[in-house]
Amino acid sequence: MKLIFLGPPGAGKGTMAARVKEYLGIPHISTGNLFRENVAEKTQLGMQVKEIMEQGNLVPDDLTIAIVKERLSRPDAEKGFILDGFPRTILQAEALEKMTSIKHVLNLICPDRELIRRLTGRRFCPACGRSYHVEFIPPKQENICDDDGHQLSIRDDDTLEAVQNRLNVYMEKTRPLIEWYENRGLLRNIEADVPPDTVFERIQAVLNK
Ligand code: ADP
Ligand code: AMP
C-alpha cells in the first residue's frame, strides 16, 4: 500500500508512520530523517541543507525530489511505502504523481496550540529517528531510546523560533496540498488531537475500509 502522511509539523506523522510500518510491513520514508542522516554524516547534501533545516525553511524542491526518487527506486519500496513529510509543495506533489500512484493521503489534523506543546517537548533518537515526548510519550528509561539504547537528542529545529517559522511555512507552502489531494479523491482526514492509540485506531479504520 502506498501512503502519504500529510499534516503540520508535530501532528504525529513520524510517530504514526513508525506504527503503520510495523502494521503493514512497508518502509517508512521520512525526508526529514534522510536529510538529518546526511547532515550527521556531513555529506555534500548535508552541508547544503543544514542551515535551511535549522531555520525551519524548506529544502529546495529539486534536491528533495531527487532524494525521494532515489529512495522509491529501491526494491523494498516496490509494493508499498509510507511517505512522511513529502510532498510539502505542489511542485513536489506533481513530481510524485509522475513517479507512482498513491492509495491514501492521511491528513493528520491538530490545533497549533497542541503542535507547539508537542514540538517543544519532542526528543528523538539520532540512531533510528524514533520520536518521543518528555511528557506525552516518554521512553521507558529517561532519555534513552526503547529500541536501541541510544541517548535521545533535541532537534535543532525544535526551538520555539524555528517551530513558529515551520508552522508559517506549512501554512503557506504545504497546506494547499490538502485541497490538491481532495480534488484527486485521495484525502482521508484524521483528527489527531487525541492520544496516540486513538490516532492509530483511526488510521487502521481508514486502511481497512
Ligand atoms: P511529525 O512527524 O508530524 O512532525 P512527530 O511524530 O515527531 O510529529 O510527533 C511530534 C511530537 O508529538 C513528538 O514529541 C511525539 O512524541 C508527540 N506525539 C505524537 N503523537 C502524539 C499524540 N497523539 N499525542 C501526544 N503527543 C504526540
Ligand atoms: P521533518 O522531519 O519532516 O519535520 O523535516 C525537517 C526539515 O527537513 C524540514 O523543516 C525541512 O527543512 C526539511 N524537509 C523535510 N522534508 C522536506 C520536503 N518534502 N521538502 C522540503 N524540505 C523538507
Side-chain angles (χ1 to χ4, degrees):
M1 197 175 307
K2 298 181 176 177
L3 306 172
I4 292 173
F5 276 29
L6 192 66
K13 300 182 296 298
T15 303
M16 288 303 134
R19 292 183 69 163
V20 172
K21 171 192 169 171
E22 297 302 321
Y23 182 62
L24 294 179
I26 51 177
H28 166 201
I29 302 173
S30 153
T31 41
N33 284 348
L34 292 174
F35 288 135
R36 273 185 293 277
E37 281 164 24
N38 275 275
V39 171
E41 288 163 18
K42 298 194 168 64
T43 65
Q44 202 194 342
L45 175 65
M47 309 286 208
Q48 271 175 287
V49 303
K50 186 174 189 295
E51 201 177 323
I52 298 173
M53 290 178 75
E54 274 170 12
Q55 289 166 352
N57 291 319
L58 292 186
V59 172
D61 284 330
D62 55 345
L63 296 179
T64 308
I65 291 164
I67 203 173
V68 169
K69 203 168 188 177
E70 191 282 321
R71 183 61 188 88
L72 293 187
S73 71
R74 293 199 214 155
D76 69 334
E78 214 170 279
K79 292 211 186 76
F81 50 76
I82 304 153
L83 277 173
D84 157 16
F86 181 92
R88 264 178 156 97
T89 63
I90 300 275
L91 211 117
Q92 292 177 13
E94 286 167 352
L96 180 65
E97 201 174 37
K98 292 193 190 111
M99 288 179 224
T100 188
S101 60
I102 297 295
K103 171 117 178 156
H104 301 294
V105 177
L106 295 145
N107 179 38
L108 303 186
I109 299 166
C110 193
D112 277 8
R113 179 186 75 251
E114 174 69 11
L115 297 174
I116 290 169
R117 287 194 338 161
R118 289 185 184 183
L119 292 172
T120 50
R122 174 158 65 185
R123 298 291 181 271
F124 87 107
C125 173
C128 71
R130 185 166 166 186
S131 264
Y132 296 87
H133 189 283
V134 283
E135 191 184 334
F136 308 141
I137 309 182
K140 292 194 184 92
Q141 198 186 331
E142 201 180 329
N143 224 33
I144 300 289
C145 180
D146 293 350
D147 290 342
D148 54 34
H150 274 83
Q151 183 132 13
L152 303 182
S153 300
I154 300 180
R155 274 173 49 170
D156 291 335
D157 60 350
D158 278 343
T159 60
L160 194 56
E161 195 188 1
V163 163
Q164 294 285 5
N165 187 41
R166 283 155 66 208
L167 293 175
N168 290 338
V169 168
Y170 166 79
M171 289 300 281
E172 189 193 333
K173 307 265 178 60
T174 308
R175 204 166 173 274
L177 287 176
I178 294 178
E179 194 184 339
W180 198 87
Y181 279 118
E182 196 162 36
N183 290 340
R184 283 158 179 75
L186 298 178
L187 197 77
R188 320 282 178 248
N189 285 317
I190 311 270
E191 294 290 342
D193 186 13
V194 287
D197 286 347
T198 312
V199 181
F200 186 56
E201 279 163 22
R202 290 177 182 178
I203 291 173
Q204 282 177 307
V206 169
L207 300 179
N208 296 329
K209 225 184 218 169

